[in-house]
Each structure stands twice: as C-alpha cells, then as structure tokens.
Amino acid sequence: MNAAYPALRLRRTRASSWSRRLHAETVLTPADLIWPLFIVEGEGVEQPIASLPGVSRWSIDGIVARAREARALGIPCVALFPYTPAHLKTEDGREALNPDNLMCRATRAIKHAVPDLGVLTDVALDPYTTHGHDGLVDAAGYVLNDATADVLIGQALNQARAGADIVAPSDMMDGRIGMIRGALEGEGAHNVQIMSYAAKYASGFYGPFRDAVGSRGLLKGDKKTYQMDHANAEEALREVALDLAEGADSVMVKPGLPYLDIIVRVKQRFEVPVFAYQVSGEYAMLEASVAAGAGDRDALVIETLMAFKRAGCSGVLTYHAAHAARLLGA
Ligand code: PBG
C-alpha cells in the first residue's frame, strides 16, 4: 500500500531546526563563492559606485586588503576588473597587453600577499576600449571575431604571466577558448585554468558593472552581435559544448537568477563544473528591494545563492560574497 496522508506528512521533517538541517539537500559554504573586485589607480583610494550600493573600486592596497579578507572568510577566489583611466583607453584596447597594467599589478600584489587565494582575471577588451566593446570594431562598428581573438590570446597570456590562476574570457568570440588554451600550453602554463563565460547573454542587467569599469557612457550600440539572445537555450548548450571541446575547465552562465533553467540544462547535459555570475543588475535589484523595505537582505542573499547551488552550480560570482561568507561562517 502506498504511503499517503495521514501516514505520510512531509511537514514532519520540517518541524524542528535540527531536522531541517539534517534533511537539507543542498549546502552553501563560503567555498562556493567568487568575489568580484574593481580596481582603480592610486593609493588609499576607495571610490563607492553609486549604482552598486555597498561596492567600491579600490586601489591596489585596498584590493590586497580585500584579498586578505576573502582568505580569512574562507572565500577561495576573487575576480578582478579594472577601471582604466581615460587616457589609456584606445580604439584597439592595447592597454590590455601592457604587462604593467592595473590588472597585472593587482594580480601580482595579491599572489604575493595571499598566495593561496585564487585569482580569476577577465579576458575581454571593454575596460580598455574607447567604444566600450569587448573587441576590435570595423568601420561599421561590427566587432571582428578573429582579429579580436588574436588580441585576447595576448591578453590572457599577459594575465597568466602576472600570476592569474584562472583566465575567464567574457567576450563571446567564436573559437577563442581553443586558441587561448593552445597559447597557454605553448608557454608551459599547463595549470592555468580557463573558465569560459560560455553562455553569456546580451542582458539589461550589466548596467552597474559598466559604471564600475567606466564603459557605460562610451558604449556604442549594444552587444547583441556577440552576446546571446535571451530567447535561446539550445544555443547555450551548443556554446557550452564547443567551449568544452576547445578545452574549457569550467563554464559559466551569465546573468544568474533569470537563467537558472540554462544552468540546470548545462549541468544535466554535460556533468562539468558550472558557475553562475549573479551580475551587477541582480545585486542592485536586491539592494533596491532591501532599501525599499520589501525584504530582508540576509535572507534574500542566502536564498538566491542557495538557488544556484540547488540548480547544480559549483560556485557563484557575487558582489555579496563577503557578506554571505560572514553570514555562513557565523
Ligand atoms: C564584459 C563583462 C561584463 C560583465 C563582466 N564582464 C559586462 C558586459 O558584457 O557588458 C558584467 C558583470 C556584471 O554585470 O556584474 N566583458
């Protein structure tokens, strides 16, 4: 006979805190978090970002302090993004190739101060270009694929030489994962990982990030000729399949919460490490709802991060990383 009410009461295991903990199907720990950080030139500089309340750009000394904080909180990895001074931005984004650019200096400083903290660097040209696109544009403003990939290879090598542990191409050019892997192997950088932003959508949720890296006002047009159409899911699976075949160690889905269906499908299909980026607009939306009195920050932060774990993620990039790690460690 099938067990059914009243023999079976699913509320029974929920009736006390110890039992809820015992029956939890998913765990969230600080080790599931990657903390994105914005770097700015100078010393002792902290610049709050208005559209990302609670998040600042830090000069390298502040970035190192954040790295120590991450280490102390049990966060395994930080992700770095530079705010490039206007005079260093060019049409071709060549500052990305400078071995002494802000990213490389910050990477070296972190690896020196906190050697066992992972450093993930973003491979894309948008912080360095005068037009705000992730690659090289032709006269019509079209982002060129192969010419861009050539520069991205140089950028990834530049970051790896500075000590990056994971290079994360966020540009969505075709074929770049295989080319970057080949170039890293050619240098003997066998253990530098590639986390591919494999399914990255052309999204309205990136606005505050573009403020943070100073590309928002510069961006000509949109990124729809390279980032994915949010109507598509099968195409995300094709993107992931290609990046894995080219040598990606892990793949990312971005943005996060509006794309949980993609995360589930990628995880079920490929059984590889999947990461989500809970992006700037998601962070801002959550903070706005807290500011409006609509919800409790701590509860919302943990619930949203748990959703990524439940969907199958190995980890999440989130601006709430330090806050969440504090809550989880308490
Ligand atoms: C660009 C890049 C973006 C983000 C990470 N890398 C923005 C974009 O594609 O325009 C967005 C992250 C966020 O919104 O938090 N290479």
Side-chain angles (χ1 to χ4, degrees), residues 302-327:
I302 297 300
E303 182 177 340
T304 57
L305 294 176
M306 190 68 90
F308 292 112
K309 288 300 303 290
R310 194 182 63 238
C313 281
S314 297
V316 189
L317 289 89
T318 174
Y319 301 97
H320 280 118
H323 184 68
R326 256 178 230 109
L327 294 173

Side-chain angles (χ1 to χ4, degrees), residues 184-196:
L184 290 170
E185 293 300 313
E187 292 225 331
H190 309 299
N191 283 337
V192 172
Q193 301 177 29
I194 300 178
M195 182 187 291
S196 159

